[in-house]
Structure formats: C-alpha cells, structure tokens
Amino acid sequence: MSSEIIVLTHGLWMPAWMLGLLRRRLSSMGLPCFCFSYPTVQRDLTSNSQALANYCASLGASKIHLVGHSLGGVVILRMLQQQGYSFRGRVVLLGTPIAGNSAARQLSHRPLFNRILGLCVQQLLSESPMPIPPGYEVGIIAGRKSLGLGRLLVSLAQPNDGVVTTEEAHSNMAQGFIVLNVSHSGMLFSSQVAEQTLYFLKYGHFNAS
C-alpha cells in the first residue's frame, strides 16, 4: 500500500462506480485512489462515518486525502467531528450541503420523498449546520449551473447547482472556496472540477489563474 492515497465518497442514491471517471482523473496525480461505498438510505450519518473511519484505517496509509461529493462530504465531516479519526491529508468537498439543504427539507415534507431520502438526510436535517472541524485543510467546490431533479421539484435560491445552493455549500472555516459552472451531478464528470481538486490536494489552495 502506498503511504499517500486518495479516498472518494459518493453522494445520495449513487453507487460507487459513478465516481469512476473522477477516480481515473485524480489517479493521474500519481496516487492510488479508492472509492468508499456506503448505504445512503438505510444507515444514518453516525454509522456511515464510523464505517468510513474503519475503511480508511484498513488501508494502512500514513497520509489520506479525502474527496466527498454531496452527502459523501457530509459523511467525511461527521467522521472528522465525531469518530476521533485523525490523518495527514487534505479534504475537498464537492457540492456538499454544509449549511443544510433547502431542497431536501422541502422534499422531506412529502411522505413518499421523506422515506426515499433515508436516514442520512433525515439526520442531517434534524441537526444544526455542520461546521468544519478545526485543524484540517478543507477546500470547497460549489456549482452554479442550475440543472437537475431538485430544480424541477423544489424552489432553490440562486445561484445553485440544481440541488445545493452556493450559500449552503460555503463555509468561512474552509481554506479555499471556488464556484464553477457545473451542475450537482456534473461535478463528477467535469475535468475542471478534477483539475481544481488535484490542485488543492497538492498545494492547499485552488488555482485562481
């Protein structure tokens, strides 16, 4: 096992293979890249964050960078907050609803959608906005291309990526914050997102040029 690796976490309702293109692009950095898969509906944030901590520990790397898309970023933050897991590495959050999510909250008031959203989102909505734990280098990429299912079913403040508003993705505790012209799901297929993620993992800030 390499001493330095990258671990990716997927978002709500997504299988790990959806991270395939992003994984290949991030692997171009020369570091092994792994995908953590977890049940986004049947298990809550606490259980999934513990599973992520166990998974990272099992890889045996001395330096782990974490990249989380959407709900996957929430699982990462919960792990850093609650599981007592420490590591040498940087974190990049892609369209992660750090400050809550109005789309999910609106859908949660509809009985059918509340069940489909699952335990992770229900726990997220029932708690206070999630701060970034101190001591970690975290970069945030938000999208401003308003495309996606969320835009069709709920009302979202502008700008947004179709699911998460840029305000919901923002945190003053992050070392870097950048807004790109991508949609929520489109982040996984964007070469620009991959390039900015790699840049932050390498230097601790985004490429503003």
Side-chain angles (χ1 to χ4, degrees):
M1 176 63 66
S2 172
S3 60
E4 184 176 358
I5 64 175
I6 302 171
V7 171
L8 308 180
T9 63
H10 58 81
L12 181 66
W13 303 328
M14 286 188 176
W17 62 261
M18 287 286 288
L19 298 169
L21 180 58
L22 179 61
R23 178 184 180 181
R24 289 195 294 274
R25 284 172 167 161
L26 295 184
S27 295
S28 68
M29 186 178 184
L31 299 179
C33 194
F34 300 85
C35 296
F36 170 69
S37 181
Y38 65 101
T40 64
V41 174
Q42 290 85 9
R43 287 200 315 209
D44 63 15
L45 288 174
T46 304
S47 298
N48 282 321
S49 64
Q50 181 62 67
L52 176 58
N54 294 340
Y55 178 79
C56 290
S58 73
L59 296 175
S62 60
K63 188 173 186 178
I64 299 178
H65 302 293
L66 300 170
V67 179
H69 176 247
S70 193
L71 182 63
V74 176
V75 174
I76 289 174
L77 292 180
R78 180 56 58 96
M79 179 188 74
L80 300 182
Q81 285 179 329
Q82 295 191 341
Q83 304 304 337
Y85 181 77
S86 60
F87 69 101
R88 294 173 54 245
R90 297 186 171 109
V91 177
V92 175
L93 306 177
L94 309 176
T96 294
I98 296 175
N101 185 235
S102 60
R105 191 170 300 281
Q106 291 174 63
L107 290 176
S108 70
H109 295 306
R110 307 175 189 179
L112 175 61
F113 281 102
N114 187 45
R115 291 193 295 271
I116 294 174
L117 288 172
L119 297 180
C120 273
V121 173
Q122 290 172 18
Q123 185 177 355
L124 174 65
L125 295 177
S126 69
E127 299 177 354
S128 301
M130 186 172 298
I132 293 175
Y136 297 100
E137 291 183 89
V138 178
I140 297 172
I141 299 178
R144 62 171 179 263
K145 181 178 285 187
S146 186
L147 295 175
L149 184 62
R151 182 171 176 266
L152 299 176
L153 296 174
V154 298
S155 176
L156 295 176
Q158 294 289 344
N160 66 74
D161 63 10
V163 177
V164 177
T165 69
T166 56
E167 184 177 359
E168 291 168 340
H170 182 262
S171 172
N172 291 326
M173 300 179 69
Q175 277 67 46
F177 178 77
I178 189 170
V179 180
L180 302 177
N181 189 34
V182 293
S183 67
H184 193 69
S185 296
M187 291 184 180
L188 300 179
F189 310 103
S190 167
S191 60
Q192 189 181 18
V193 167
E195 290 166 2
Q196 289 287 356
T197 298
L198 284 172
Y199 201 91
F200 187 91
L201 295 182
K202 186 174 182 179
Y203 299 109
H205 60 87
F206 292 116
N207 185 1
S209 61

PDB file of all heavy atoms in Angstrom, residues 1 4 10-11 51 59 84 92 94 96 99 101 105 107 116 118 120 123 132 147 154 158 175 182 190-191 194-196:
ATOM      1  N   MET A   1       0.838  -1.199   0.000  1.00  0.00           N
ATOM      2  CA  MET A   1       0.000   0.000   0.000  1.00  0.00           C
ATOM      3  C   MET A   1       0.878   1.256   0.000  1.00  0.00           C
ATOM      4  O   MET A   1       1.841   1.349   0.754  1.00  0.00           O
ATOM      5  CB  MET A   1      -0.917   0.008   1.215  1.00  0.00           C
ATOM      6  CG  MET A   1      -1.776   1.259   1.373  1.00  0.00           C
ATOM      7  SD  MET A   1      -2.941   1.499   0.022  1.00  0.00           S
ATOM      8  CE  MET A   1      -4.006   0.076   0.278  1.00  0.00           C
ATOM      9  N   GLU A   4       0.680   7.376   0.677  1.00  0.00           N
ATOM     10  CA  GLU A   4      -0.196   8.515   0.426  1.00  0.00           C
ATOM     11  C   GLU A   4      -1.249   8.115  -0.605  1.00  0.00           C
ATOM     12  O   GLU A   4      -0.915   7.651  -1.689  1.00  0.00           O
ATOM     13  CB  GLU A   4       0.602   9.714  -0.076  1.00  0.00           C
ATOM     14  CG  GLU A   4      -0.230  10.971  -0.275  1.00  0.00           C
ATOM     15  CD  GLU A   4       0.606  12.170  -0.680  1.00  0.00           C
ATOM     16  OE1 GLU A   4       1.837  12.036  -0.767  1.00  0.00           O
ATOM     17  OE2 GLU A   4       0.022  13.254  -0.916  1.00  0.00           O
ATOM     18  N   HIS A  10     -19.142   8.910  -2.335  1.00  0.00           N
ATOM     19  CA  HIS A  10     -20.211   9.301  -3.258  1.00  0.00           C
ATOM     20  C   HIS A  10     -21.374   9.956  -2.514  1.00  0.00           C
ATOM     21  O   HIS A  10     -21.424   9.972  -1.286  1.00  0.00           O
ATOM     22  CB  HIS A  10     -20.704   8.080  -4.027  1.00  0.00           C
ATOM     23  CG  HIS A  10     -21.204   6.973  -3.146  1.00  0.00           C
ATOM     24  ND1 HIS A  10     -22.460   6.956  -2.587  1.00  0.00           N
ATOM     25  CD2 HIS A  10     -20.584   5.833  -2.722  1.00  0.00           C
ATOM     26  CE1 HIS A  10     -22.619   5.855  -1.869  1.00  0.00           C
ATOM     27  NE2 HIS A  10     -21.500   5.161  -1.918  1.00  0.00           N
ATOM     28  N   GLY A  11     -22.324  10.461  -3.285  1.00  0.00           N
ATOM     29  CA  GLY A  11     -23.472  11.150  -2.721  1.00  0.00           C
ATOM     30  C   GLY A  11     -24.711  10.283  -2.620  1.00  0.00           C
ATOM     31  O   GLY A  11     -24.680   9.072  -2.874  1.00  0.00           O
ATOM     32  N   ALA A  51     -18.076   3.761   9.643  1.00  0.00           N
ATOM     33  CA  ALA A  51     -17.648   2.828   8.605  1.00  0.00           C
ATOM     34  C   ALA A  51     -16.535   3.436   7.746  1.00  0.00           C
ATOM     35  O   ALA A  51     -15.587   2.743   7.360  1.00  0.00           O
ATOM     36  CB  ALA A  51     -18.835   2.429   7.736  1.00  0.00           C
ATOM     37  N   LEU A  59      -6.832   0.751   5.193  1.00  0.00           N
ATOM     38  CA  LEU A  59      -5.977   0.927   4.022  1.00  0.00           C
ATOM     39  C   LEU A  59      -4.507   1.043   4.397  1.00  0.00           C
ATOM     40  O   LEU A  59      -3.634   0.892   3.545  1.00  0.00           O
ATOM     41  CB  LEU A  59      -6.425   2.157   3.231  1.00  0.00           C
ATOM     42  CG  LEU A  59      -7.832   2.064   2.623  1.00  0.00           C
ATOM     43  CD1 LEU A  59      -8.232   3.384   1.968  1.00  0.00           C
ATOM     44  CD2 LEU A  59      -7.919   0.927   1.624  1.00  0.00           C
ATOM     45  N   GLY A  84     -13.172  10.646  16.175  1.00  0.00           N
ATOM     46  CA  GLY A  84     -11.826  10.722  16.722  1.00  0.00           C
ATOM     47  C   GLY A  84     -10.773  10.246  15.741  1.00  0.00           C
ATOM     48  O   GLY A  84      -9.723   9.755  16.138  1.00  0.00           O
ATOM     49  N   VAL A  92     -11.390  17.787   0.093  1.00  0.00           N
ATOM     50  CA  VAL A  92     -12.119  18.604  -0.889  1.00  0.00           C
ATOM     51  C   VAL A  92     -13.576  18.155  -0.882  1.00  0.00           C
ATOM     52  O   VAL A  92     -13.871  16.963  -1.006  1.00  0.00           O
ATOM     53  CB  VAL A  92     -11.531  18.480  -2.307  1.00  0.00           C
ATOM     54  CG1 VAL A  92     -12.401  19.253  -3.307  1.00  0.00           C
ATOM     55  CG2 VAL A  92     -10.107  19.015  -2.346  1.00  0.00           C
ATOM     56  N   LEU A  94     -17.282  18.529  -2.692  1.00  0.00           N
ATOM     57  CA  LEU A  94     -17.881  18.867  -3.981  1.00  0.00           C
ATOM     58  C   LEU A  94     -19.395  18.971  -3.816  1.00  0.00           C
ATOM     59  O   LEU A  94     -20.082  17.959  -3.645  1.00  0.00           O
ATOM     60  CB  LEU A  94     -17.546  17.791  -5.020  1.00  0.00           C
ATOM     61  CG  LEU A  94     -16.076  17.393  -5.178  1.00  0.00           C
ATOM     62  CD1 LEU A  94     -15.941  16.243  -6.177  1.00  0.00           C
ATOM     63  CD2 LEU A  94     -15.229  18.581  -5.600  1.00  0.00           C
ATOM     64  N   THR A  96     -21.217  19.927  -1.362  1.00  0.00           N
ATOM     65  CA  THR A  96     -21.652  19.372  -0.075  1.00  0.00           C
ATOM     66  C   THR A  96     -22.497  20.388   0.686  1.00  0.00           C
ATOM     67  O   THR A  96     -22.068  21.529   0.887  1.00  0.00           O
ATOM     68  CB  THR A  96     -20.432  18.965   0.774  1.00  0.00           C
ATOM     69  OG1 THR A  96     -19.767  17.879   0.131  1.00  0.00           O
ATOM     70  CG2 THR A  96     -20.854  18.537   2.170  1.00  0.00           C
ATOM     71  N   ALA A  99     -24.231  23.816   5.168  1.00  0.00           N
ATOM     72  CA  ALA A  99     -25.136  24.673   5.941  1.00  0.00           C
ATOM     73  C   ALA A  99     -26.594  24.257   5.761  1.00  0.00           C
ATOM     74  O   ALA A  99     -27.493  25.087   5.723  1.00  0.00           O
ATOM     75  CB  ALA A  99     -24.950  26.132   5.519  1.00  0.00           C
ATOM     76  N   ASN A 101     -29.754  21.930   3.675  1.00  0.00           N
ATOM     77  CA  ASN A 101     -30.166  21.821   2.277  1.00  0.00           C
ATOM     78  C   ASN A 101     -31.660  22.065   2.151  1.00  0.00           C
ATOM     79  O   ASN A 101     -32.479  21.268   2.605  1.00  0.00           O
ATOM     80  CB  ASN A 101     -29.800  20.440   1.730  1.00  0.00           C
ATOM     81  CG  ASN A 101     -30.094  20.295   0.254  1.00  0.00           C
ATOM     82  OD1 ASN A 101     -30.791  19.388  -0.155  1.00  0.00           O
ATOM     83  ND2 ASN A 101     -29.569  21.189  -0.577  1.00  0.00           N
ATOM     84  N   ARG A 105     -35.028  19.601   2.554  1.00  0.00           N
ATOM     85  CA  ARG A 105     -36.014  19.978   3.576  1.00  0.00           C
ATOM     86  C   ARG A 105     -37.418  20.099   2.965  1.00  0.00           C
ATOM     87  O   ARG A 105     -38.409  19.667   3.566  1.00  0.00           O
ATOM     88  CB  ARG A 105     -35.606  21.296   4.241  1.00  0.00           C
ATOM     89  CG  ARG A 105     -36.424  21.636   5.481  1.00  0.00           C
ATOM     90  CD  ARG A 105     -35.838  22.800   6.235  1.00  0.00           C
ATOM     91  NE  ARG A 105     -34.481  22.548   6.689  1.00  0.00           N
ATOM     92  CZ  ARG A 105     -34.183  21.812   7.762  1.00  0.00           C
ATOM     93  NH1 ARG A 105     -35.161  21.267   8.479  1.00  0.00           N
ATOM     94  NH2 ARG A 105     -32.934  21.639   8.122  1.00  0.00           N
ATOM     95  N   LEU A 107     -38.490  18.536   0.273  1.00  0.00           N
ATOM     96  CA  LEU A 107     -38.939  17.192  -0.096  1.00  0.00           C
ATOM     97  C   LEU A 107     -39.328  16.366   1.122  1.00  0.00           C
ATOM     98  O   LEU A 107     -40.195  15.494   1.032  1.00  0.00           O
ATOM     99  CB  LEU A 107     -37.838  16.468  -0.877  1.00  0.00           C
ATOM    100  CG  LEU A 107     -37.556  16.977  -2.285  1.00  0.00           C
ATOM    101  CD1 LEU A 107     -36.382  16.244  -2.885  1.00  0.00           C
ATOM    102  CD2 LEU A 107     -38.782  16.836  -3.174  1.00  0.00           C
ATOM    103  N   ILE A 116     -37.759   8.092   0.902  1.00  0.00           N
ATOM    104  CA  ILE A 116     -36.714   7.889  -0.098  1.00  0.00           C
ATOM    105  C   ILE A 116     -35.419   8.597   0.286  1.00  0.00           C
ATOM    106  O   ILE A 116     -34.320   8.116   0.007  1.00  0.00           O
ATOM    107  CB  ILE A 116     -37.205   8.381  -1.478  1.00  0.00           C
ATOM    108  CG1 ILE A 116     -38.363   7.517  -1.967  1.00  0.00           C
ATOM    109  CG2 ILE A 116     -36.081   8.374  -2.508  1.00  0.00           C
ATOM    110  CD1 ILE A 116     -38.998   8.011  -3.244  1.00  0.00           C
ATOM    111  N   GLY A 118     -34.087   8.893   3.151  1.00  0.00           N
ATOM    112  CA  GLY A 118     -33.343   7.977   4.002  1.00  0.00           C
ATOM    113  C   GLY A 118     -32.802   8.569   5.292  1.00  0.00           C
ATOM    114  O   GLY A 118     -32.983   9.748   5.602  1.00  0.00           O
ATOM    115  N   CYS A 120     -29.673   9.083   6.501  1.00  0.00           N
ATOM    116  CA  CYS A 120     -28.587  10.078   6.495  1.00  0.00           C
ATOM    117  C   CYS A 120     -29.142  11.493   6.373  1.00  0.00           C
ATOM    118  O   CYS A 120     -28.787  12.385   7.143  1.00  0.00           O
ATOM    119  CB  CYS A 120     -27.626   9.804   5.339  1.00  0.00           C
ATOM    120  SG  CYS A 120     -26.315   8.632   5.698  1.00  0.00           S
ATOM    121  N   GLN A 123     -31.197  12.640   9.386  1.00  0.00           N
ATOM    122  CA  GLN A 123     -30.344  13.070  10.493  1.00  0.00           C
ATOM    123  C   GLN A 123     -29.727  14.435  10.209  1.00  0.00           C
ATOM    124  O   GLN A 123     -29.649  15.287  11.091  1.00  0.00           O
ATOM    125  CB  GLN A 123     -29.242  12.045  10.749  1.00  0.00           C
ATOM    126  CG  GLN A 123     -28.374  12.374  11.966  1.00  0.00           C
ATOM    127  CD  GLN A 123     -27.325  11.304  12.249  1.00  0.00           C
ATOM    128  OE1 GLN A 123     -27.280  10.265  11.600  1.00  0.00           O
ATOM    129  NE2 GLN A 123     -26.477  11.568  13.221  1.00  0.00           N
ATOM    130  N   ILE A 132     -16.909  22.912   9.868  1.00  0.00           N
ATOM    131  CA  ILE A 132     -15.688  22.196   9.542  1.00  0.00           C
ATOM    132  C   ILE A 132     -14.834  22.115  10.800  1.00  0.00           C
ATOM    133  O   ILE A 132     -14.539  23.140  11.418  1.00  0.00           O
ATOM    134  CB  ILE A 132     -14.918  22.910   8.425  1.00  0.00           C
ATOM    135  CG1 ILE A 132     -15.727  22.842   7.125  1.00  0.00           C
ATOM    136  CG2 ILE A 132     -13.537  22.289   8.226  1.00  0.00           C
ATOM    137  CD1 ILE A 132     -15.108  23.620   5.984  1.00  0.00           C
ATOM    138  N   LEU A 147     -29.065  22.800 -12.954  1.00  0.00           N
ATOM    139  CA  LEU A 147     -29.669  21.687 -13.673  1.00  0.00           C
ATOM    140  C   LEU A 147     -29.821  20.519 -12.712  1.00  0.00           C
ATOM    141  O   LEU A 147     -28.962  20.292 -11.873  1.00  0.00           O
ATOM    142  CB  LEU A 147     -28.790  21.251 -14.853  1.00  0.00           C
ATOM    143  CG  LEU A 147     -28.593  22.253 -15.987  1.00  0.00           C
ATOM    144  CD1 LEU A 147     -27.595  21.697 -16.995  1.00  0.00           C
ATOM    145  CD2 LEU A 147     -29.914  22.566 -16.677  1.00  0.00           C
ATOM    146  N   VAL A 154     -38.447  21.469  -6.452  1.00  0.00           N
ATOM    147  CA  VAL A 154     -38.457  22.417  -5.340  1.00  0.00           C
ATOM    148  C   VAL A 154     -38.002  23.793  -5.824  1.00  0.00           C
ATOM    149  O   VAL A 154     -37.528  23.951  -6.945  1.00  0.00           O
ATOM    150  CB  VAL A 154     -37.523  21.949  -4.191  1.00  0.00           C
ATOM    151  CG1 VAL A 154     -37.990  20.616  -3.630  1.00  0.00           C
ATOM    152  CG2 VAL A 154     -36.086  21.832  -4.685  1.00  0.00           C
ATOM    153  N   GLN A 158     -30.879  31.305  -5.845  1.00  0.00           N
ATOM    154  CA  GLN A 158     -29.775  31.422  -6.803  1.00  0.00           C
ATOM    155  C   GLN A 158     -28.555  32.030  -6.112  1.00  0.00           C
ATOM    156  O   GLN A 158     -28.688  32.840  -5.216  1.00  0.00           O
ATOM    157  CB  GLN A 158     -30.201  32.302  -7.980  1.00  0.00           C
ATOM    158  CG  GLN A 158     -31.316  31.704  -8.830  1.00  0.00           C
ATOM    159  CD  GLN A 158     -30.850  30.522  -9.664  1.00  0.00           C
ATOM    160  OE1 GLN A 158     -29.643  30.308  -9.859  1.00  0.00           O
ATOM    161  NE2 GLN A 158     -31.798  29.746 -10.152  1.00  0.00           N
ATOM    162  N   GLN A 175     -10.324  26.521   3.843  1.00  0.00           N
ATOM    163  CA  GLN A 175      -9.126  27.199   3.344  1.00  0.00           C
ATOM    164  C   GLN A 175      -9.319  27.711   1.923  1.00  0.00           C
ATOM    165  O   GLN A 175      -8.629  28.626   1.495  1.00  0.00           O
ATOM    166  CB  GLN A 175      -7.919  26.246   3.383  1.00  0.00           C
ATOM    167  CG  GLN A 175      -7.229  26.155   4.729  1.00  0.00           C
ATOM    168  CD  GLN A 175      -8.111  25.513   5.779  1.00  0.00           C
ATOM    169  OE1 GLN A 175      -8.734  24.489   5.521  1.00  0.00           O
ATOM    170  NE2 GLN A 175      -8.188  26.107   6.953  1.00  0.00           N
ATOM    171  N   VAL A 182     -20.813  24.310 -13.151  1.00  0.00           N
ATOM    172  CA  VAL A 182     -21.145  22.889 -13.244  1.00  0.00           C
ATOM    173  C   VAL A 182     -22.413  22.624 -12.447  1.00  0.00           C
ATOM    174  O   VAL A 182     -22.750  23.379 -11.524  1.00  0.00           O
ATOM    175  CB  VAL A 182     -20.009  21.990 -12.725  1.00  0.00           C
ATOM    176  CG1 VAL A 182     -18.791  22.073 -13.624  1.00  0.00           C
ATOM    177  CG2 VAL A 182     -19.640  22.355 -11.288  1.00  0.00           C
ATOM    178  N   SER A 190     -16.713  16.548 -14.694  1.00  0.00           N
ATOM    179  CA  SER A 190     -16.051  17.776 -15.117  1.00  0.00           C
ATOM    180  C   SER A 190     -14.533  17.670 -14.968  1.00  0.00           C
ATOM    181  O   SER A 190     -14.026  17.420 -13.868  1.00  0.00           O
ATOM    182  CB  SER A 190     -16.577  18.956 -14.284  1.00  0.00           C
ATOM    183  OG  SER A 190     -15.764  20.093 -14.447  1.00  0.00           O
ATOM    184  N   SER A 191     -13.829  17.898 -16.059  1.00  0.00           N
ATOM    185  CA  SER A 191     -12.362  17.905 -15.986  1.00  0.00           C
ATOM    186  C   SER A 191     -11.873  19.082 -15.150  1.00  0.00           C
ATOM    187  O   SER A 191     -10.841  18.987 -14.475  1.00  0.00           O
ATOM    188  CB  SER A 191     -11.770  17.957 -17.393  1.00  0.00           C
ATOM    189  OG  SER A 191     -12.194  19.132 -18.083  1.00  0.00           O
ATOM    190  N   ALA A 194     -12.029  18.147 -11.516  1.00  0.00           N
ATOM    191  CA  ALA A 194     -10.927  17.241 -11.198  1.00  0.00           C
ATOM    192  C   ALA A 194      -9.607  17.995 -11.085  1.00  0.00           C
ATOM    193  O   ALA A 194      -8.806  17.752 -10.174  1.00  0.00           O
ATOM    194  CB  ALA A 194     -10.831  16.149 -12.260  1.00  0.00           C
ATOM    195  N   GLU A 195      -9.377  18.921 -12.013  1.00  0.00           N
ATOM    196  CA  GLU A 195      -8.125  19.688 -12.002  1.00  0.00           C
ATOM    197  C   GLU A 195      -8.023  20.553 -10.744  1.00  0.00           C
ATOM    198  O   GLU A 195      -6.955  20.630 -10.122  1.00  0.00           O
ATOM    199  CB  GLU A 195      -8.050  20.567 -13.251  1.00  0.00           C
ATOM    200  CG  GLU A 195      -7.838  19.773 -14.537  1.00  0.00           C
ATOM    201  CD  GLU A 195      -8.115  20.605 -15.770  1.00  0.00           C
ATOM    202  OE1 GLU A 195      -8.427  21.813 -15.621  1.00  0.00           O
ATOM    203  OE2 GLU A 195      -8.026  20.050 -16.887  1.00  0.00           O
ATOM    204  N   GLN A 196      -9.122  21.215 -10.373  1.00  0.00           N
ATOM    205  CA  GLN A 196      -9.096  22.057  -9.180  1.00  0.00           C
ATOM    206  C   GLN A 196      -8.947  21.209  -7.912  1.00  0.00           C
ATOM    207  O   GLN A 196      -8.275  21.608  -6.954  1.00  0.00           O
ATOM    208  CB  GLN A 196     -10.357  22.908  -9.101  1.00  0.00           C
ATOM    209  CG  GLN A 196     -10.439  24.017 -10.128  1.00  0.00           C
ATOM    210  CD  GLN A 196      -9.484  25.172  -9.835  1.00  0.00           C
ATOM    211  OE1 GLN A 196      -8.794  25.208  -8.816  1.00  0.00           O
ATOM    212  NE2 GLN A 196      -9.446  26.141 -10.739  1.00  0.00           N
TER     213      GLN A 196
END
